[in-house]
Amino acid sequence: MYIIYDDFFLKHHTGSLHPEKGERLSCIKTSLKNWSNGPHLYWLTPARASLDIISLIHHPDYIRQIKHYSTLHKLINLDTDTVVSHFTYDCAVLAAGAAVQGIDQLFSTGAKSSMFFALVRPPGHHAFENRGTGFCIFNQIAIAAAYALREYKVERIAIIDFDAHHGNGTQHLFYGDQHVFFVSFHQYPHYPGTGTAQEAGIKEGKGYSLNFPFAPGTGQDCYLYALDQVVVPLMLKFCPQLVLVSAGYDSHAEDHLSSLKLTESSYNKIMKVVSSLSRICSRGRLGIFLEGGYNTDVLGDCVKETVKGCLDTSYNIDNLSQEYEGIDDGCRSLISYLSKKFGVIHG
């Protein structure tokens, strides 16, 4: 797997009390570098994205606004949570460059791996065309999807988001687009207040947005049940040519920004399923982007388990139903509703 990273991302300063801080990347880097029994990981340093590519998603006026704010040598708040400081623009442009580099690697002849993990900040999935929200400046995963659609003529892309917070920016950007199937697992009600089960897309994109608004306290079994009963059959039918993941670890039981109950091993199991889908449908082409995750005591191991799950080629997706038990009535009702809404038929 390619790990796309640069220490330059640590320069995006958000203030001493802000949870989205550089230590997040430092602990992940340490965990992966110290993984003595792990496979060889190919570390790549990203280059800055061109403004033409960033403009595939973001309005030029917004891009110029972030660049201007970054010259002011002080903290500028786009909203109560989202901060621009001196190096924010350069970090965001570099993060967009990581998206481009990852896609180029996946479609490169002779590539060493069909997977990448972009360890970037600021995060991206709450960023809209003309505004940043929820810690996010540029939407890297959306840029990656738009770039793949344009540059490599990909026709079907799946974006799977397991951050604790609904990926409202990403959903909005592709809400009317049948080429991008967006799936989000998140706590609800919670920030940003979107991502209900009724939100399923509009116009040509109707039926291509799938939301799992999980109640506080939801754990691993419900995630695996949702994958087995809804996501896997829909993805096998859609058959994406590229799978992208917004990996947010604030869904961990020890992360204070949500009340979800995943553990390190949960991400391993989720990614075994997702990577299996990528091998079945997209020749293993899988790109992962770091989103949330703010407990640095567990974050490094969460990412390591994610990578381990991706690299487990022995996993049989047909055995997924054996991975969960004890589904509560609320989760069962939600999955039943979504199965009917999206026309999933079980034998």
Side-chain angles (χ1 to χ4, degrees):
M1 176 181 283
Y2 294 106
I3 306 295
I4 307 176
Y5 171 80
D6 195 314
D7 283 337
F8 191 86
F9 291 125
L10 305 179
K11 292 181 177 288
H12 169 54
H13 294 300
T14 55
S16 59
L17 300 179
H18 200 289
E20 205 293 283
K21 52 192 176 183
E23 287 86 349
R24 300 174 62 236
L25 291 189
S26 298
C27 76
I28 295 171
K29 178 183 176 182
T30 298
S31 179
L32 293 181
K33 289 285 189 180
N34 291 342
W35 187 9
S36 58
N37 294 323
H40 182 62
L41 302 177
Y42 306 100
W43 290 78
L44 299 177
T45 302
R48 293 163 62 94
S50 68
L51 297 185
D52 170 65
I53 289 173
I54 298 173
S55 297
L56 290 172
I57 292 297
H58 295 290
H59 195 283
D61 288 345
Y62 171 64
I63 299 171
R64 285 191 288 268
Q65 179 190 52
I66 299 302
K67 184 175 184 179
H68 170 67
Y69 285 164
S70 293
T71 66
L72 300 180
H73 296 272
K74 62 180 180 180
L75 296 182
I76 304 291
N77 282 84
L78 300 182
D79 60 19
T80 56
D81 301 312
T82 312
V83 178
V84 176
S85 57
H86 181 50
F87 289 103
T88 297
Y89 174 77
D90 290 326
C91 287
V93 170
L94 193 64
V100 172
Q101 184 172 17
I103 296 300
D104 283 342
Q105 289 294 330
L106 296 193
F107 288 90
S108 172
T109 302
K112 296 179 180 179
S113 175
S114 60
M115 298 179 286
F116 72 84
F117 199 133
L119 299 177
V120 299
R121 56 188 296 269
H125 72 153
H126 296 308
F128 293 80
E129 178 187 18
N130 58 359
R131 61 189 173 100
T133 68
F135 308 170
C136 302
I137 304 298
F138 296 157
N139 195 318
Q140 291 86 230
I141 200 166
I143 291 170
Y147 179 71
L149 289 168
R150 186 188 77 170
E151 192 70 18
Y152 294 100
K153 312 305 179 186
V154 176
E155 296 179 345
R156 299 180 306 281
I157 298 174
I159 296 180
I160 298 175
D161 187 329
F162 60 73
D163 190 279
H165 306 92
H166 179 238
N168 56 337
T170 308
Q171 176 177 282
H172 175 79
L173 289 163
F174 298 111
Y175 205 51
D177 192 337
Q178 63 183 332
H179 300 290
V180 178
F181 201 131
F182 176 72
V183 180
S184 180
F185 303 89
H186 50 273
Q187 181 175 322
Y188 187 89
H190 201 33
Y191 179 90
T194 54
T196 66
Q198 291 72 37
E199 296 170 32
I202 57 173
K203 299 179 181 179
E204 290 83 359
K206 188 175 182 179
Y208 293 93
S209 288
L210 170 61
N211 286 288
F212 295 92
F214 289 148
T218 297
Q220 171 183 293
D221 282 353
C222 193
Y223 280 74
L224 298 179
Y225 182 58
L227 284 166
D228 184 41
Q229 296 293 303
V230 184
V231 176
V232 168
L234 286 178
M235 288 299 103
L236 291 177
K237 181 179 179 181
F238 179 64
C239 204
Q241 297 161 302
L242 171 65
V243 179
L244 301 175
V245 176
S246 275
Y249 301 97
D250 39 11
S251 47
H252 190 280
E254 297 179 23
D255 196 295
H256 64 280
L257 263 69
S258 89
S259 301
L260 297 172
K261 299 299 180 183
L262 297 187
T263 65
E264 290 90 331
S265 63
S266 302
Y267 302 109
N268 180 291
K269 293 180 179 181
I270 290 168
M271 291 311 300
K272 282 181 180 178
V273 177
V274 173
S275 61
S276 293
L277 284 171
S278 76
R279 284 189 288 271
I280 294 169
C281 297
S282 61
R283 301 182 181 179
R285 289 179 178 137
L286 172 64
I288 307 171
F289 293 84
L290 180 67
E291 300 287 359
Y294 307 99
N295 184 338
T296 54
D297 291 335
V298 300
L299 181 55
D301 285 338
C302 289
V303 172
K304 184 168 69 175
E305 287 300 318
T306 296
V307 175
K308 288 170 67 175
C310 291
L311 298 175
D312 186 355
T313 58
S314 67
Y315 182 76
N316 187 344
I317 202 169
D318 294 333
N319 296 330
L320 177 54
S321 61
Q322 302 172 21
E323 298 280 347
Y324 55 84
E325 58 184 14
I327 304 302
D328 65 68
D329 290 342
C331 179
R332 193 175 296 278
S333 176
L334 171 64
I335 301 311
S336 175
Y337 169 80
L338 288 171
S339 293
K340 294 175 182 177
K341 183 177 181 67
F342 282 82
V344 178
I345 300 174
H346 298 285

